[in-house]
Amino acid sequence: MKLIFLGPPGAGKGTQAVKIAKRFQIAHISTGDMLRAEMREGTPLGKEAKGLIDRGELVPDDVILGMVKSRIQKEDCKNGFLFDGFPRTIAQAEALEAISAIDRVINIEVPTERLISRISGRRMCASCGAGYHASTYADANCKCGAALYQREDDKEETVRNRLVVYERQTKPLIDFYVKKGLLHTVNGNAEIDTVDAAIRAVLMK
Ligand code: AP5
Ligand code: MG
C-alpha cells in the first residue's frame, strides 16, 4: 500500500501516520523528520534546510526529491510506504508520478484556529520522534525516557508563515489529487482515535 497524508501544519499527519504505518506494516516517510535529522547531524543538506525551515519556507523541490527517491529504495519500503508532508508542491507531485504509483491520498481537514493551538503546544521527542501536546502530556520526558523539545519552527510567527505557504503552495494538491480520483478527505478535528478510525475506514474500502 502506497499512501500520501496531506494537510496543513498541525493537522495531525504525523500523529496519524505513526498509527497507520504500524497497523499496515508500511514505512512512515516524513520529509520533515528527515530534514530535522539532517539538521541535528549538521550535514550540508541540514545546514541548507535550516534557514528555510526556521522561516517556515519550503526546502527546494530537487533536494526533497533526491531524499525521497533514495528513501523508497530501502528494504522497509518493500511492503509499501506512507508519505507524511510529501509532496508539498505541484512540481513534487508531478515528479512523484514518474517515481511511484500511489493508491490513496488522505486529506486531513482541520480549521485554522485549531491548527495554531495544536502547534503551539506540541512537544517532540528527539530520540524516537513521538509527538505530544503540552495540554494532555505534562511530563518533560517522552515515554521512551528521552527529553522532549519544542520545534524551532513552532514559534507563532513562523507558524503563521507556514500556514500562508501551505495555502499558496500545498493546498492546490487537493484539486490535483481530486482530478486523479485518489483524494479522500477525513475530518481531523476530532479525538485522535476517531480520526484514526475514519482513516482506517477509507483504507478498508
Ligand atoms: P513538517 O515536519 O512536515 O511540518 P508540517 O507539515 O508543517 O506539519 P506538522 O509536522 O507541523 O504537523 P502534523 O500535521 O504532522 O501534526 P502533528 O501530528 O504533529 O515540515 C517542516 C518543514 O520542513 C516545512 O515547513 C518545510 O520547511 C520543510 N519540508 C518538509 N517537507 C517538505 C517538502 N515535501 N517540501 C519542501 N519542504 C518540506 O500534530 C500537531 C499537534 O497536535 C501535536 O501536538 C499533536 O499531539 C496534536 N494533535 C494531533 N492530532 C490531534 C487531535 N486529533 N486532537 C488533538 N490534538 C491533536
Ligand atoms: Mg508532522
Side-chain angles (χ1 to χ4, degrees):
M1 182 158 37
K2 294 171 179 170
L3 306 174
I4 293 171
F5 278 12
L6 202 62
K13 301 182 295 296
T15 303
Q16 299 299 334
V18 169
K19 290 173 171 289
I20 294 295
K22 193 172 168 194
R23 187 176 306 269
F24 292 91
Q25 296 288 297
I26 55 177
H28 172 197
I29 304 180
S30 159
T31 42
D33 286 349
M34 290 167 80
L35 292 167
R36 282 184 287 277
E38 298 277 347
M39 292 196 300
R40 271 199 303 279
E41 288 158 23
T43 65
L45 195 160
K47 285 178 185 155
E48 181 190 348
K50 186 172 173 15
L52 293 162
I53 292 177
D54 288 353
R55 288 198 306 278
E57 298 293 331
L58 295 184
V59 171
D61 292 333
D62 57 337
V63 173
I64 298 291
L65 287 162
M67 264 176 25
V68 168
K69 275 184 202 165
S70 65
R71 179 66 185 86
I72 61 175
Q73 302 303 321
K74 295 208 170 147
E75 186 62 31
D76 66 335
C77 293
K78 288 269 186 302
N79 196 31
F81 45 78
L82 189 174
F83 287 127
D84 156 12
F86 170 85
R88 224 146 160 138
T89 61
I90 295 286
Q92 289 179 18
E94 285 172 347
L96 174 61
E97 288 191 306
I99 303 171
S100 174
I102 293 296
D103 300 310
R104 288 187 176 86
V105 178
I106 307 290
N107 175 39
I108 306 179
E109 219 172 42
V110 176
T112 306
E113 25 343 320
R114 295 283 303 135
L115 299 173
I116 293 172
S117 68
R118 280 188 188 182
I119 295 177
S120 59
R122 174 168 47 196
R123 301 292 179 268
M124 304 284 294
C125 175
S127 175
C128 75
Y132 299 91
H133 196 275
S135 66
T136 50
Y137 190 84
D139 211 311
N141 290 326
C142 176
K143 287 176 186 161
C144 79
L148 297 178
Y149 74 100
Q150 184 165 28
R151 266 169 54 176
E152 199 55 42
D153 61 341
D154 279 355
K155 286 177 282 185
E156 187 165 337
E157 197 186 306
T158 310
V159 171
R160 291 199 184 275
N161 191 42
R162 283 162 60 197
L163 291 169
V164 170
V165 167
Y166 166 78
E167 289 288 326
R168 201 172 54 221
Q169 293 183 265
T170 307
K171 207 173 175 183
L173 291 177
I174 294 177
D175 261 4
F176 180 92
Y177 285 118
V178 165
K179 287 185 185 133
K180 308 259 173 212
L182 293 175
L183 195 97
H184 301 265
T185 293
V186 163
N187 175 22
N189 191 20
E191 294 291 323
I192 289 173
D193 287 344
T194 308
V195 181
D196 176 44
I199 295 173
R200 274 187 284 125
V202 168
L203 299 181
M204 298 300 189
K205 272 183 200 163

